[in-house]
Amino acid sequence: MSAADLSTDYLGLSLRSPLVASSSPLTGDLEGLRRLEDAGAGAVVLPSLFEEQIEAESLEVDRMLETGAETFAEAPSYFPEFEDYQTGPDRYLELVTRAKQALEIPVIASLNGTTPGGWVEHARLIEEAGADALELNLYLVAADPALDATTLEQRDRELVAQVRAAVSIPLAIKLSPYFTALGHFARGLVEEGVNGLVLFNRFYQPDIDLERLTVTPELTLSRPEELRLPLRWIAILREHVDVSLAATSGVHRPQDALKALLAGANVAMMASALLRQGPGHLRTVALAMAAWMQEHEYESVRQLCGSMSHRAVPDPLAFERAQYWRTLQAYTGHFQV
Ligand SMILES: Cc1cc2nc3c(=O)[nH]c(=O)nc-3n(C[C@H](O)[C@H](O)[C@H](O)COP(=O)(O)O)c2cc1C
């Protein structure tokens, strides 16, 4: 049997490998991006440009313009200087353009926001800068007791619709696992015209420093066990939505990526593993995946994709509630005191 074909389709793009480098500091500069491409990444997702960064910049420009207008009668002559002003969002667009020039593989840009507004205009600028696709990260801690799930989901849908209307490049939505009825919400996003779902965003949990008595925003890298959550939902959603699916959270080893694809993901994304082991880890993972596929007589990733999804396995309930009871029955460990 010839070598396994690792190519896959994601968001309508043809990728040479299902291993994608997800947003992280590694994808934030050209050197990291080139190393990821050299190590075999199928695509790269740039770090997110945040709604807050865009809004802060526009407030700052407004403030400078107002100060100028009060001080000098001929203030409009200042405008060209402001246009050249190097800001976070401008630098981001520059990164998109330079990444596109430097790389052969698709470059996916990322926006992170929660409320519809003027900042969404940046989706269009990102498209103009040359991104092959856009990932929108809906990162929200639903902390306001006055807002119910329907209201929050409706807001998310409106935001997605706004971004969808702003761009014609493929659009993926990066979701958190904390939706009350994820299947229903995912279907709603597909109705808004998105091309893919990225499951799941990792929430960075604050911690408490017992000595200083301060709240510390702790950022810990993931562990492979964390793949279980996206694995279940990818297996379930694969049968219900006809869009690309990406697994993110806990993809560290070849077996993690293979499981994600078997469940129904088109790509397996990696951040923590690459930050820990370096971009070269992609090569090791791809080689071991290809060897496993050959041994198990899979010719291609396309053949593998979804072959163990919710409906494809003999016991679909294994992905649902029934498994909980069975798992408790089967537990043989000892309680630790
Ligand atoms: C240091 C760091 C920075 C990250 N920055 C972003 C970001 O800007 N936008 C985003 O959508 N995800 C970001 N992520 C999340 C990752 O893209 C990924 O979804 C998450 O870490 C889970 O995948 P992993 O288990 O492979 O790390 C970041 C993760 C890390 C560790």
Side-chain angles (χ1 to χ4, degrees), residues 83-96:
E83 276 167 19
D84 293 334
Y85 190 52
Q86 279 293 300
T87 60
D90 285 346
R91 273 200 298 276
Y92 194 82
L93 298 176
E94 202 180 298
L95 175 66
V96 174

Side-chain angles (χ1 to χ4, degrees), residues 22-25 45-50 110-112 135 137 174 198 200-202 204 219-223 226 248-252 269-275:
S22 69
S23 286
S24 86
V45 188
L46 304 182
S48 301
L49 176 61
F50 284 74
S110 168
L111 273 176
N112 186 318
E135 189 176 282
N137 187 334
K174 190 168 184 177
V198 182
F200 287 114
N201 212 339
R202 264 180 103 229
Y204 297 107
L219 196 157
T220 51
L221 298 181
S222 73
R223 287 167 290 109
E226 292 176 46
T248 174
S249 283
V251 180
H252 287 244
M269 294 187 167
M270 298 170 104
S272 294
L274 301 179
L275 287 167

